[in-house]
Amino acid sequence: MEFSTPVEITGFNKKLTYNDSIMLLGSCFTESIGNKLSERKFPADINPFGIIYNPVSLQNCIEILKSNKSFTKTDLFEENGIWKSFYHHSRFSHSDINATLYNINERISISSEFIKKTSFLFLTLGTAWVYEHKETGKVVSNCHKSPASNFKQRLLSVDETYETLKNIFETVKKINSGCTLIFTLSPVRHLKNGAHGNQLSKSVLTIALQKLQETYSEIQYFPAYEILLDELRDYRFYAEDMIHPSGSTINYIWEKFTEAHLDDSTKKIMTEVENITRAMLHRPRFPESEEYHKFKKTHYSMICELENKYPFINLSGEKTFFSDFR
């Protein structure tokens, strides 16, 4: 007897391996998946602009990476002694303008090179609601809690969203013709405009993505939103704020992601890597004991063996962690 409605995930021809790199852009769900990939030693570049919610801002990010734009003072604004960028998350902000510019430009430089060679680009769309800065008329990625009177909020139309996603696809292909794009809808509910406003937004994104796939059949879609909405249809799968998915839900969706996007050999390697990273979390009661030294020596040897088997995986940090077993 079935007590849920499992979401069917279409098989993907191109699978992610440890020889592939992956860039991830989008909402906080992007970071949840990206961090899991990074923790398992996949070559991943996660949100080089910070968390991005709407498709227009994602398009802006891609254009900036394409041109390897260098930000200057004129691209920033100062508020309450902090220098900020409307294209970036607050993690890039700083009281020193030179620190803000360094944080931004260093990351753009690295990611502009990364996207040229990446095998996959994973894009998570959070909302079709956008905020336009009244003074410039530009859609911002982050309002940085500036006065609401400085912005005009509006819902993108299906056609606008489709054209924006189409531009993203075509720009990425100009940068890197071999890159595979994977889209998903964030399972996070955006309730600033109420439950109805959230549904309108997700509907716009869903229809636009469907049109995009009809235009470019090679685009892949991972149904993270549908898994939470239909397969895990219960508030116990949400965090305490009743908006974000819980940790166990993220783990469940991660398992679905690996089933869809990893082949069997890659899953096997990932399990071996997980054994090492899980051992690093072990906190001994007696760290100076012979037993713990033996534990570290055993795992150091396991890492050396993994390095010989899989020289394309970077385990230098793990090797250093277990190296002082003498």
Side-chain angles (χ1 to χ4, degrees):
M1 180 178 273
E2 293 286 350
F3 288 98
S4 66
T5 52
V7 173
E8 182 179 351
I9 302 177
T10 305
F12 301 113
N13 294 328
K14 188 176 179 182
K15 302 286 187 177
L16 175 66
T17 75
Y18 274 98
N19 290 308
D20 297 311
S21 55
I22 179 169
M23 176 177 277
L24 303 99
L25 296 172
S27 76
C28 47
F29 176 73
T30 286
E31 305 212 331
S32 297
I33 295 298
N35 289 336
K36 286 188 176 294
L37 287 165
S38 184
E39 288 164 4
R40 288 154 180 80
K41 316 310 289 184
F42 285 90
D45 187 350
I46 308 163
N47 269 348
F49 296 82
I51 295 169
I52 303 292
Y53 295 106
N54 72 79
V56 175
S57 291
L58 282 174
Q59 181 185 7
N60 291 338
C61 293
I62 298 296
E63 292 291 348
I64 290 170
L65 293 181
K66 179 176 180 285
S67 64
N68 194 9
K69 173 181 168 62
S70 182
F71 276 60
T72 65
K73 182 178 179 179
T74 58
D75 296 305
L76 306 181
F77 69 99
E78 184 268 336
E79 193 172 56
N80 299 322
I82 304 297
W83 288 93
K84 308 173 183 179
S85 161
F86 279 131
Y87 291 99
H88 292 80
H89 188 268
S90 58
R91 70 179 66 159
F92 291 90
S93 302
H94 200 280
S95 58
D96 181 351
I97 186 172
N98 292 320
T100 302
L101 288 172
Y102 177 82
N103 292 341
I104 288 172
N105 290 329
E106 178 73 6
R107 197 71 171 83
I108 289 174
S109 177
I110 292 170
S111 297
S112 290
E113 289 302 312
F114 193 96
I115 196 172
K116 292 177 185 177
K117 302 172 184 176
T118 192
S119 304
F120 293 87
L121 178 60
F122 184 80
L123 296 149
T124 304
L125 305 176
T127 181
W129 290 98
V130 298
Y131 288 87
E132 292 179 348
H133 190 232
K134 290 180 179 178
E135 184 178 333
T136 63
K138 294 181 179 179
V139 172
V140 302
S141 302
N142 195 313
C143 294
H144 294 289
K145 298 183 179 179
S146 294
S149 58
N150 293 345
F151 305 95
K152 173 188 174 184
Q153 186 191 26
R154 68 182 185 88
L155 183 67
L156 295 173
S157 69
V158 171
D159 287 342
E160 279 182 290
T161 305
Y162 166 74
E163 288 298 325
T164 300
L165 298 178
K166 183 171 177 283
N167 289 337
I168 288 174
F169 175 83
E170 292 178 352
T171 303
V172 170
K173 286 298 182 177
K174 288 177 184 176
I175 300 171
N176 178 353
S177 61
C179 180
T180 297
L181 281 76
I182 306 170
F183 282 92
T184 191
L185 289 186
S186 170
V188 178
R189 296 185 300 159
H190 292 261
L191 297 177
K192 281 188 177 181
N193 299 94
H196 181 64
N198 175 67
Q199 284 303 106
L200 284 174
S201 168
K202 297 293 189 186
S203 298
V204 167
L205 296 174
T206 299
I207 296 169
L209 275 172
Q210 178 62 30
K211 288 183 65 176
L212 189 71
Q213 283 189 288
E214 290 171 357
T215 306
Y216 303 105
S217 59
E218 66 186 271
I219 287 175
Q220 298 184 2
Y221 178 74
F222 177 71
Y225 178 69
E226 292 81 358
I227 290 171
L228 181 55
L229 193 71
D230 291 322
E231 192 165 334
L232 305 178
R233 194 185 305 175
D234 195 294
Y235 273 112
R236 74 180 186 274
F237 296 111
Y238 287 86
E240 289 183 3
D241 63 5
M242 296 297 158
I243 296 174
H244 292 80
S246 67
S248 59
T249 299
I250 293 293
N251 290 336
Y252 183 86
I253 296 175
W254 163 252
E255 289 178 7
K256 295 287 187 179
F257 178 85
T258 58
E259 287 174 15
H261 290 288
L262 307 184
D263 60 25
D264 290 340
S265 60
T266 303
K267 291 175 192 173
K268 179 179 178 297
I269 297 172
M270 188 176 72
T271 299
E272 294 181 71
V273 172
E274 285 176 334
N275 289 337
I276 298 297
T277 56
R278 194 178 299 116
M280 292 176 67
L281 300 176
H282 176 63
R283 295 292 177 261
R285 291 182 63 187
F286 304 104
E288 299 304 320
S289 67
E290 182 63 29
E291 181 182 9
Y292 185 58
H293 284 197
K294 184 178 179 181
F295 173 85
K296 297 189 83 171
K297 183 177 181 179
T298 298
H299 284 85
Y300 182 87
S301 299
M302 289 170 63
I303 292 170
C304 292
E305 184 179 340
L306 286 179
E307 285 182 325
N308 289 331
K309 287 169 64 178
Y310 316 118
F312 44 84
I313 300 179
N314 182 4
L315 293 168
S316 57
E318 289 73 17
K319 193 172 186 179
T320 299
F321 181 88
F322 287 110
S323 62
D324 61 336
F325 54 80
R326 296 175 182 82

